Amino acid sequence: MTGAFTIRESTAEDAPAYREMRLEALLAHPEAFGSDYAESATRPPSHWLERVSLPHGRERNNLWFAVGPDGALAGVLGVYTESMAKLRQVGTVVSVYSRPAWRRRGVADALLGQAIAWARAAGFRRLRLAVAATNVAAIRTYARAGFSVYGVEPEVISTGGVYYDELLRGRAV
Ligand SMILES: CC(C)(COP(=O)(O)OP(=O)(O)OC[C@H]1O[C@@H](n2cnc3c(N)ncnc32)[C@H](O)[C@@H]1OP(=O)(O)O)[C@@H](O)C(=O)NCCC(=O)NCCS
């Protein structure tokens, strides 16, 4: 893969390409995500359209894409926002994925930088995330982006007959 990528918000036109990339991620890395490939593969087009097309904002669950020079999706990151009044200052980073051909080129770093800058501007106090304790590449990426461990959730992911602990990591924004 040659050329630089750019980061942008998701739009309604991204629904089919996002579905393809998300299912690719869930199939290849079942231990890395709470969502399940088989469940997700049966979701209707309206699910994917809603996921990418709601206007970005403080009250929304937002997605950003890394996009290659040809416009194809290279990676994705979401920020899940809480609706309950007392929890609204904390955003949760979800769905982080960098396509294999784009790895080790700063895609995840750039997406995390975007999420942190956005959360700061939107008035959040903290971002948090959960990462499988065995996921070395993601742990290094999150540590580099300033997300430190505040807990461990034992055996929270179950896939292929194996239970995975998740590290809970967070940072001030
Ligand atoms: C974890 C993941 C998102 C990281 O994505 P990435 O785009 O490769 O991340 P980055 O490029 O920002 O950084 C990854 C590594 O590449 C290095 N790197 C970044 N830019 C680079 C460049 N221009 N040249 C060489 N190396 C570079 C980083 O230093 C880092 O190295 P390190 O892990 O040895 O410290 C990716 O491996 C992935 O999608 N994994 C599968 C899904 C997954 O686990 N998601 C996380 C769920 S919690």
Side-chain angles (χ1 to χ4, degrees):
M1 200 63 68
T2 57
F5 62 88
T6 55
I7 305 290
R8 63 164 175 79
E9 295 181 354
S10 62
T11 72
E13 290 70 40
D14 295 315
Y18 175 55
R19 177 182 188 277
E20 182 191 328
M21 184 170 66
R22 177 69 168 161
L23 293 180
E24 170 188 301
L26 298 181
L27 188 61
H29 306 279
E31 75 293 347
F33 304 101
S35 295
D36 176 66
Y37 172 81
E39 284 173 4
S40 296
T42 62
R43 291 188 186 279
S46 58
H47 165 82
W48 304 99
L49 185 61
E50 182 176 316
R51 194 74 190 86
V52 293
S53 64
L54 290 174
H56 276 233
R58 180 72 179 75
E59 316 286 328
R60 305 291 192 185
N61 299 321
N62 303 296
L63 279 184
W64 287 270
F65 292 122
V67 180
D70 58 356
L73 302 185
V76 62
L77 175 150
V79 175
Y80 175 86
T81 62
E82 303 282 349
S83 57
M84 287 190 284
K86 289 187 283 186
L87 304 181
R88 290 180 66 246
Q89 79 283 5
V90 181
T92 307
V93 173
V94 295
S95 306
V96 178
Y97 181 64
S98 179
R99 282 192 141 148
W102 281 97
R103 290 195 187 148
R104 301 195 67 102
R105 299 180 59 184
V107 165
D109 283 356
L111 286 164
L112 286 162
Q114 169 67 37
I116 293 162
W118 174 82
R120 186 179 299 140
F124 287 78
R125 283 182 68 82
R126 293 189 63 80
L127 284 175
R128 66 184 173 190
L129 56 82
V131 55
T134 53
N135 193 343
V136 175
I139 288 168
R140 287 176 67 107
T141 300
Y142 297 141
R144 198 169 50 245
F147 287 79
S148 58
V149 176
Y150 65 86
V152 179
E153 185 160 12
E155 301 189 341
V156 61
I157 299 282
S158 166
T159 182
V162 178
Y163 294 98
Y164 294 86
D165 298 352
E166 282 191 335
L167 304 180
L168 309 177
R169 307 187 77 114
R171 58 161 286 163
V173 298

